[in-house]
Amino acid sequence: VVKTAVFWDIENIPPTKKNHVLENVETWLTKMGDVVYKSVAVNCYTIKKDQLVKVYDSGYKIECIPKYEKDATDKIIIREIRERVILDEDIQLYVLITQDSDFKNVIKELMKNGKFVVLLHINNRMNKEFLELPHAAYNLKSKCRIKSIEKVLLKKNKKIIDIGKYKRGEMNVV
């Protein structure tokens, strides 16, 4: 079973009734094996309380920032990702829910440390270079892509555990 950690840039991709991000992520994660860590950093004043309660009820650790500071939530998420790499070496799959290229360097760090990185987003007009950086990037609004990544990762479960053998070209997902 692949140990998975999820980090959600909720300020960048808030859960709304319209985009169904929370529901789509949770559906996808149920088939991913052992999700051992789920985290969200948020400015307490930028998200509706009922949305935050749903996220909390779904098992996410929530770190609220009491005041606005540019990129504060990004910095907290990046710090937490780095801590997870040190504290739990068994986590092999890192899922980032964001559209923010501020995470570019931490994605590179994870991959350099032999971790498998999946980027989940909701925007087809994202920077192509950023979308191609992780092992895989998928639009949460497209249910067929969510099913596709499930199939690929489940089929290649052995290779995810031994990530050293993974090559970007093997991720041919429509």
Side-chain angles (χ1 to χ4, degrees), residues 12-173:
N12 191 264
I13 303 179
T16 65
K17 289 179 183 176
K18 186 178 178 184
N19 68 19
H20 302 286
V21 170
L22 180 60
E23 295 86 354
N24 288 346
V25 167
E26 291 307 304
T27 298
W28 187 77
L29 289 175
T30 58
K31 302 191 181 184
M32 289 314 305
D34 191 11
V35 179
V36 295
Y37 192 78
K38 292 164 50 171
S39 178
V40 166
V42 62
N43 180 307
C44 300
Y45 304 106
T46 61
I47 189 166
K48 293 179 181 175
K49 185 178 178 182
D50 63 323
Q51 292 172 330
L52 207 51
V53 168
K54 284 182 183 178
V55 171
Y56 178 79
D57 288 345
S58 295
Y60 286 82
K61 172 188 169 254
I62 298 174
E63 186 157 345
C64 280
I65 299 161
K67 62 180 181 168
Y68 180 78
E69 179 185 324
K70 185 169 174 30
D71 298 329
T73 56
D74 295 353
K75 290 173 187 172
I76 288 171
I77 294 168
I78 290 167
R79 183 196 74 220
E80 282 195 82
I81 291 170
R82 289 178 174 144
E83 287 173 358
R84 279 298 111 202
V85 171
I86 293 166
L87 295 174
D88 195 341
E89 293 178 5
D90 293 338
I91 295 174
Q92 288 295 304
L93 175 60
Y94 282 77
V95 178
L96 276 71
I97 307 165
T98 188
Q99 299 176 149
D100 190 340
S101 61
D102 288 347
F103 293 93
K104 184 171 38 177
N105 289 334
V106 79
I107 290 171
K108 289 177 184 177
E109 287 174 31
L110 286 168
M111 293 171 69
K112 185 178 177 184
N113 282 299
K115 306 302 181 182
F116 191 87
V117 181
V118 174
L119 176 69
L120 302 179
H121 62 90
I122 59 170
N123 185 351
N124 284 328
R125 296 184 181 152
M126 287 178 55
N127 177 309
K128 187 176 179 183
E129 180 185 331
F130 181 60
L131 282 174
E132 291 177 352
L133 184 61
H135 292 98
Y138 297 95
N139 189 328
L140 285 167
K141 288 184 176 179
S142 172
K143 293 196 182 235
C144 65
R145 288 189 183 262
I146 293 168
K147 289 177 185 170
S148 297
I149 188 64
E150 288 168 3
K151 288 178 186 174
V152 168
L153 294 178
L154 290 171
K155 276 184 191 174
K156 298 188 176 212
N157 198 7
K158 287 183 181 177
K159 289 195 176 186
I160 292 172
I161 291 168
D162 185 9
I163 278 184
K165 296 179 180 177
Y166 240 104
K167 300 276 189 283
R168 181 181 250 314
E170 292 181 39
M171 292 300 298
N172 295 328
V173 181

